[in-house]
Amino acid sequence: MTGQRGATRSETARIAILEATAAQFTERGWDHLTIEGIAAAAGVGKQTIYRWWRSKSALVAECLLEGLLLPASFLPVDTGDVRADLTAWLDAILRFAEDPRTAELFRSLVAAAAEDEQVGHQLSDALGTPSSLQTRLESARAAGDLRPDAPLRELGDALVGAVIVRVIGRTTHHDEAAGLLVSAILGPRPDRPAGAEA
Amino acid sequence: MTGQRGATRSETARIAILEATAAQFTERGWDHLTIEGIAAAAGVGKQTIYRWWRSKSALVAECLLEGLLLPASFLPVDTGDVRADLTAWLDAILRFAEDPRTAELFRSLVAAAAEDEQVGHQLSDALGTPSSLQTRLESARAAGDLRPDAPLRELGDALVGAVIVRVIGRTTHHDEAAGLLVSAILGPRPDRPAGAEA
Amino acid sequence: MTGQRGATRSETARIAILEATAAQFTERGWDHLTIEGIAAAAGVGKQTIYRWWRSKSALVAECLLEGLLLPASFLPVDTGDVRADLTAWLDAILRFAEDPRTAELFRSLVAAAAEDEQVGHQLSDALGTPSSLQTRLESARAAGDLRPDAPLRELGDALVGAVIVRVIGRTTHHDEAAGLLVSAILGPRPDRPAGAEA
Amino acid sequence: MTGQRGATRSETARIAILEATAAQFTERGWDHLTIEGIAAAAGVGKQTIYRWWRSKSALVAECLLEGLLLPASFLPVDTGDVRADLTAWLDAILRFAEDPRTAELFRSLVAAAAEDEQVGHQLSDALGTPSSLQTRLESARAAGDLRPDAPLRELGDALVGAVIVRVIGRTTHHDEAAGLLVSAILGPRPDRPAGAEA
DNA sequence: GACTAAGCGAGACGGTACGTCGCGTCTTTAC
DNA sequence: GTAAAGACGCGACGTACCGTCTCGCTTAGTC
C-alpha cells in the first residue's frame, strides 16, 4: 500500500555519477580511479555513490551496461558470409583495443574484468560474447559454413581471447590481424564448395 | 676503478621480499597487495624494497620469473602428436586457471598483466607464449600437421586467449575443454594421416 | 479570519523530542549529542526538530526549562538560618554534581552552557541563581545575618562557582564541602549575636 | 643499549601543530576546532597529529601547558597585602575572561575543561589554582590576615568559580568586580590592623 | 686499524583516498 | 500544512598506504 515514503532517488545524480565515472576511468585508468574523484567530478557527495553502488567495480559495470565506456556493443552482423562477418566484428574490436588512444582504456577494462565478476560479465556482453556471437555462429553452422560438431562456445572464446592476449602482450596492430585470426580459428576459406573435393 | 665500496645487496632480503610478495599476492590479490604489507611480512624496511624495485608490478614480474606464482612454466612437449601435446599443455593451464584454489590468483595475474607491461610479458612467457609454443607449432607445421600457411602466432594467441576469456567470464570448468579448444582451433583431427589421401 | 490553517504543532512530537534529547544528552554527553540521534530516538523526522528549534543548544535549554535534565530547580528555602539554608541548597547541588552517576551529565551541562548563551542562562536559573538565591540573600541581609554592604551578587556567584570549579577540576566529593564553602564565603557563624561585641 | 631505532620525532612538526591548534582554537572556538584544519594550518599530515596526541583535548591541554592560549599563568604575587594581591590577580583573570576580544576564547576553554579532564587540570593550573594560589593564601593565614581555620581550598575555588559563573552567565564587565569579589569572599578589610585590638 | 660508503631495519613525515557519520536542506507521500 | 521518511551536497572523522626522509646499526672495501 505505502509504496514509497520520503524523497526518491535522483536520476540527475545517477547520470552525473556514471558519466563522471566513465570520464575518470578513461582519463586515469582502473587503478587511479577514485570515488572521491568521481564524486567531485560529478558534483555529488560521496555518500550518494556509496548509497547506490557497492564498489568502484559496480560503477564501472553499470557504465559498460549503459555503453558509456565502449562505443557500443560490438555485434556481428549476418550477411551470409561468416568469415567476412566475423572479420568485420573482430576488426572493430581490434581497432578499438589496439588504437593508441583507447588501448589503455581497453587494458583497464580487462584489469577490471579480471578483478570483478560483474565487470567480467558485462565486458563479455559488450564484446558480443556469448549471446550475439553464439547466434551468428549457430547460423553459420546451420548454413553449413561450420562443421556440425564445431564447438561454438570455444570458437567464440578463442576469437575474443586472441584480442585480449594481444592487448596484454602489447602486440602492435596489424591490418590483417582480424582476417588472420578468423582464418586461423575457423580454418581457411574453402575456395570451392564441398563438391570440389570430388 | 673502485670496485664497490660499502655493503653489498643482501640476497637474504631479496629472497624474503620475493617470497613475501608471492605469499601476499596469493592471499590478497593484486589490488590489496601493499608494499607495507610485503615489507612487514618479509621483515624488511620499506626502503629496501624501493631501492631495488620500481613498483609493485616489478616485484610481481620478478616473482613470475622466479616461478614463485605459477607452478612452473607451462611448456608444451613434442611427442609428434601436436593435438595431444597442445591439449596436455592447455589442460594444465586450464586446471590451474579454473581450480577454485588458484583461480583467484590467476585472475589477479591477468589483472596485473593488463595494468603493467612487464607483468604482461612475463605472464605470456610463463604460459609458454610466444617462444616455446611457437617452437612447437613450427615443428607441427614442418611435420605437415598444420597447413603451410597457418598463422602460428594467431593460433597460439587464440589458445591462451580462450582460457583468459573463460577466466574473466567465470566459466566453470569442463573436463574436455582443453580438447575441444584444440580441435576447435586446429581443426578436427584428420581421420587418416596426410599420406592416406594419396 | 481562521486563526490557523492546516495542521497544528504536534504536542506529542514536541514531548517525544525533548525527552529523547534529555535521554541522549544523559547517555552521550553534549558533544556526541546529535540531531539525527534525537530524531531517531523520538521517532520523528529531522525536519520537525529544525522547524521548531534553532539548534542543539535550544533543545537542551528547553530541556533544562522543563526540568528534564536537572532533578528540579535547586531552590534555597528560608528557615531564618541563612547558613543552614544555603548549606542545604549547596549540598544538593554538590551531591548532584559530584555523584559519579550524574557528574558527567553536570559537566556536559557546564560545557553546553559555556558554548551557548541560552543554555548558560537556563543553567544559572536552574541552579537558583540569580533570582531565588538573591531573594534568600536579601532576606538574610535584612535579618542582619549579612553585613548591610555585602555584595550579594558576588556572594552567589562565588557559591555556585566553587561547585563548578570543583567539577572542572574533578575534585572528589567531601561530605562537609557545602558547609565549608558556606562558612568560607559568608564567614564563620558568629557564636554570639551582635551584642556580644559590647 | 640501543635506545632508539628509526627516525625521531620532529620538533618542528610538534611546534607547528601546537601553534596551529592555538591559532585555530582562538579563531574558531572549541567546537569548530578540527584536526583537519589544524593539520592543514600546520602544514602537516593528519597522521602526525594522531600519532602523538589522543584527541583534540590533548592538543588543547598541551597548548595550555605551553602557554599558547592564556597569556601566561596567572600568578598572585605576595606584597604582604592579601586583599590587594588577590584583587590584582583576579582582576587580571576577569579582564581576560570578560574582554570581548578574548571572552569567547575563555568560554571555549571552560567548555573544553568541562568535557576533558586533562584540559580541566591544565586550565586550573593556568589560573593559578590550586598550587600558587594556595601558597599565597597560606602565607596570608600565617600572617594573620585570614582566620586560622579558614578553608583555603574552598576560598580559592570560590574566587575562580565566581569568574566562571560570570562568564557562563555572560555578565558584562564591571571595574570593581575583582575588589568586590575579594571583599565578599575574604570579608571586609579590617579597619585597623590586628595590633589595634591589643 | 681507521675510514669511508653503501645496505639495512625501523619508523616518522607530508600526503591522498578510504568508507562512515552527522550536518542542515529539500522532496515526496500520508494524514 | 504538519509530519515521517529519507535522499542530497557537504565537511570532518580516524585509518591505511603511499613514497621519501632520517636515524643508528652493520658490513665491506680502501687507505
Side-chain angles (χ1 to χ4, degrees), chain D residues 53-65:
Chain D
W53 289 275
R54 294 180 156 272
S55 60
K56 276 193 313 183
S57 329
L59 274 169
V60 170
E62 192 161 334
C63 282
L64 274 171
L65 188 63

Side-chain angles (χ1 to χ4, degrees), chain B residues 18-30:
Chain B
L18 290 177
E19 282 176 350
T21 302
Q24 299 274 308
F25 188 94
T26 302
E27 266 174 45
R28 302 153 67 109
W30 169 243

Side-chain angles (χ1 to χ4, degrees), chain C residues 117-139:
Chain C
E117 180 157 4
Q118 249 186 106
V119 177
H121 286 308
Q122 216 58 252
L123 179 61
S124 289
D125 283 0
L127 296 180
T129 48
S131 54
S132 63
L133 180 61
Q134 292 308 303
T135 308
R136 183 63 191 85
L137 288 172
E138 274 159 23
S139 133

Side-chain angles (χ1 to χ4, degrees), chain A residues 6-29:
Chain A
T8 51
R9 178 170 185 184
S10 156
E11 185 65 10
T12 313
R14 186 181 152 268
I15 288 169
I17 290 165
L18 290 177
E19 282 175 351
T21 301
Q24 299 273 308
F25 187 93
T26 303
E27 266 174 44
R28 306 153 70 113

